[in-house]
Amino acid sequence: MTSKLSASTTSKTLLILGYVWPEPNSSAAGGHMMSLIQFFLGLGYDITYASPAQQGEHKFDLQKLGVTEISVKLNCGSFDTFVTQLSPDLVLFDRFMLEEQFGWRVSKHCPNAIKILDTEDLHSLRHARQLASKQKRSISADDLNQDLAKREIAAIFRCDLTLVISEYEMALLQQHFAVPAHILCHCPFMLDLEQHSPSSNGFAQRQHFISIGNFRHEPNWDAVLCLKQTIWPLIRKQLPKAELHIYGAYPPPKATQLHNVKQGFLVKGWAVDAKQVMQQARVCLAPLRFGAGLKGKLAEAMWCGTPNVTTTVGAEGMTMGQLWGGYVSEFDTSVDLDSFAQEFATLAVNLYSNATIWHELQMLGYQLIQANFDKRKIQPRLAEQLTTLQHNLPQHRSKNFIGQMLQHHHLKSTQYMSQWIEAKNKHT
């Protein structure tokens, strides 16, 4: 496959080790992974996607793109044979847990392979915010420095390059955790804006509110509960005929039980075409009280011309100098929930009822998407950084002594632990 991104005539091999199998219609992480796959296909890579996870019902068929699919086992020497025979030029770890599990094996058997970590979001940041939210207090430095962060930051240091989706997290990694800039790459959503035109559905053609997000993602479930228990009743008092349509993959019984037609709170479940249902809604609600990374639901809302109401956590890392395509409720985990719900509901009703403001914010959303998430602007920068890395790998690694040190100890400790588990499994 040829590309404008300097695709080479020499065959190159990429191994992606996936935490899950990609489901682009179920989560932003799945969509982002698919954009990375398309990017590397454009660079001429032969791609193998391997994962130890079970395949979900909404899994994308990567073989349609010419990508080889392989199931691999955790703590099993069969991976050593597999990766040695594949001999990849580049290995992409989907989230730090996969680097922990397979990184030492890749380094041992394919020492010259470039190792890239795709964080998706900083799991340690999300966890720290969730903890603070449950305890109704502001996040502290001690929260950020928990064991999960030590594992995640160590994986970042051990890799040659880490893809960071959020501008905020780029700054956090460098300023709080002292991660060198040369092993980081800001890689936000890479949207194919050439294949998209603004929605023809205007203010008058749209109705109702929408909230969307994978139910397996804890921040999304928390947002649904927040809507049900505090925000939606306040909106419904002022807009008694309005409905809130809740979409998301894998809704558990505790979510479907919230469905209530009389209250206008409708749990729809998985959307076959998320863009279609988003373009029919007038306002997107995302009362996210904790989380990290970028919010795919909000990027999709703005891409579909649907203004939103969200929180500072929801909008974090997405503006990059642009004005927001909706309303942002100033939320801190120490804020009283009732006060937050009242402010959020007031903003939602105002946006839903005012056509002039709605159109202004819709245009700001289009402008933000075009400025910040156009793959034609992002992919060349990523390709250039990869090319530089390929041509200067020994020098690049020599400037990362902490990474070398962590790699040395990780190789020993993780190798022996994994081999012990493998031996134990053989005798049980």
Side-chain angles (χ1 to χ4, degrees):
M1 181 178 293
T2 59
S3 168
K4 296 178 181 178
L5 298 176
S6 303
S8 171
T9 55
T10 304
S11 177
K12 298 171 290 186
T13 302
L14 164 65
L15 170 62
I16 300 176
L17 289 165
Y19 181 68
V20 295
W21 293 93
E23 295 189 10
N25 291 332
S26 298
S27 70
H32 191 54
M33 175 55 70
M34 291 304 302
S35 69
L36 287 171
I37 289 172
Q38 294 283 7
F39 165 72
F40 282 107
L41 286 173
L43 289 179
Y45 278 88
D46 293 327
I47 302 178
T48 296
Y49 192 101
S51 177
Q54 295 289 324
Q55 296 188 5
E57 59 182 292
H58 306 308
K59 170 191 167 293
F60 185 89
D61 185 2
L62 295 173
Q63 296 177 93
K64 291 181 179 179
L65 301 177
V67 175
T68 302
E69 297 182 354
I70 298 289
S71 292
V72 291
K73 295 180 179 179
L74 301 175
N75 302 304
C76 183
S78 61
F79 180 85
D80 299 348
T81 303
F82 159 70
V83 77
T84 300
Q85 292 176 347
L86 185 66
S87 188
D89 300 286
L90 193 154
V91 177
L92 176 67
F93 300 100
D94 172 29
R95 290 165 253 208
F96 81 92
M97 297 81 80
L98 271 292
E99 189 281 334
E100 283 186 326
Q101 176 64 222
F102 296 106
W104 69 270
R105 294 182 184 273
V106 171
S107 294
K108 181 177 181 180
H109 299 286
C110 305
N112 296 322
I114 294 173
K115 298 192 300 180
I116 297 180
L117 173 61
D118 178 29
T119 57
E120 291 296 347
D121 65 9
L122 285 183
H123 291 58
S124 54
L125 175 61
R126 171 158 41 91
H127 180 266
R129 284 175 168 165
Q130 182 174 358
L131 178 65
S133 178
K134 287 183 177 180
Q135 298 177 356
K136 299 180 180 179
R137 59 174 177 77
S138 298
I139 190 171
S140 68
D142 287 340
D143 294 324
L144 291 173
N145 296 338
Q146 296 292 322
D147 287 349
L148 189 64
K150 294 168 186 173
R151 292 170 52 197
E152 188 166 31
I153 303 305
I156 290 173
F157 270 101
R158 286 193 296 265
C159 287
D160 298 308
L161 190 67
T162 291
L163 308 182
V164 183
I165 201 168
S166 165
E167 188 178 54
Y168 175 88
E169 292 173 10
M170 283 285 289
L172 182 69
L173 287 171
Q174 295 176 71
Q175 296 169 14
H176 182 81
F177 294 109
V179 177
H182 78 281
I183 64 171
L184 300 175
C185 176
H186 183 213
C187 183
F189 296 137
M190 297 184 289
L191 303 181
D192 190 359
L193 299 186
E194 286 183 303
Q195 303 300 319
H196 177 76
S197 56
S199 173
S200 59
N201 292 344
F203 180 87
Q205 287 77 42
R206 296 170 180 247
Q207 60 179 343
H208 304 314
F209 294 86
I210 188 173
S211 182
I212 191 167
N214 191 318
F215 282 95
R216 289 179 175 174
H217 193 52
E218 192 64 29
N220 293 335
W221 170 237
D222 178 78
V224 170
L225 283 179
C226 188
L227 284 165
K228 175 69 174 181
Q229 296 169 356
T230 60
I231 296 174
W232 183 245
L234 297 173
I235 295 175
R236 183 77 167 181
K237 279 184 180 180
Q238 299 182 64
L239 300 171
K241 294 184 179 181
E243 297 175 359
L244 173 57
H245 297 180
I246 306 285
Y247 290 93
Y250 305 107
K254 64 181 180 180
T256 55
Q257 289 169 5
L258 299 179
H259 182 88
N260 190 308
V261 175
K262 290 184 178 180
Q263 296 174 357
F265 195 92
L266 309 180
V267 180
K268 300 278 190 172
W270 187 64
V272 177
D273 188 339
K275 287 186 174 63
Q276 182 183 29
V277 296
M278 184 65 76
Q279 289 178 359
Q280 295 172 351
R282 186 176 291 178
V283 174
C284 175
L285 301 180
L288 296 161
R289 297 191 291 173
F290 57 90
L294 299 184
K295 312 307 177 291
K297 61 180 70 63
L298 294 174
E300 190 159 70
M302 288 184 280
W303 196 2
C304 293
T306 309
N308 64 81
V309 184
T310 188
T311 62
T312 45
V313 170
E316 181 181 272
M318 296 186 71
T319 54
M320 293 182 255
Q322 300 295 312
L323 295 175
W324 186 248
Y327 284 137
V328 178
S329 176
E330 295 294 330
F331 176 72
D332 183 85
T333 45
S334 61
V335 170
D336 175 71
L337 182 56
D338 290 336
S339 299
F340 163 66
Q342 186 63 62
E343 179 191 15
F344 197 96
T346 299
L347 293 173
V349 171
N350 183 45
L351 180 54
Y352 191 86
S353 306
N354 193 314
T356 301
I357 293 176
W358 188 91
H359 282 292
E360 290 175 356
L361 295 178
Q362 181 190 55
M363 292 309 300
L364 290 178
Y366 283 139
Q367 292 169 14
L368 185 150
I369 292 295
Q370 291 166 359
N372 295 345
F373 304 120
D374 188 342
K375 74 173 188 179
R376 292 169 295 183
K377 299 177 183 177
I378 300 166
Q379 288 185 345
R381 296 199 302 266
L382 177 56
E384 182 179 359
Q385 195 160 355
L386 284 174
T387 299
T388 301
L389 181 58
Q390 290 166 339
H391 292 163
N392 302 281
L393 186 58
Q395 299 93 318
H396 178 86
R397 287 178 173 174
S398 69
K399 293 189 294 182
N400 181 16
F401 178 77
I402 292 178
Q404 295 178 44
M405 178 179 63
L406 290 169
Q407 180 65 43
H408 169 78
H409 291 287
H410 179 70
L411 183 65
K412 300 301 181 184
S413 61
T414 309
Q415 175 181 350
Y416 295 144
M417 175 60 75
S418 182
Q419 290 175 339
W420 178 83
I421 292 173
E422 184 177 4
K424 182 174 179 290
N425 290 339
K426 289 179 179 179
H427 292 87
T428 57

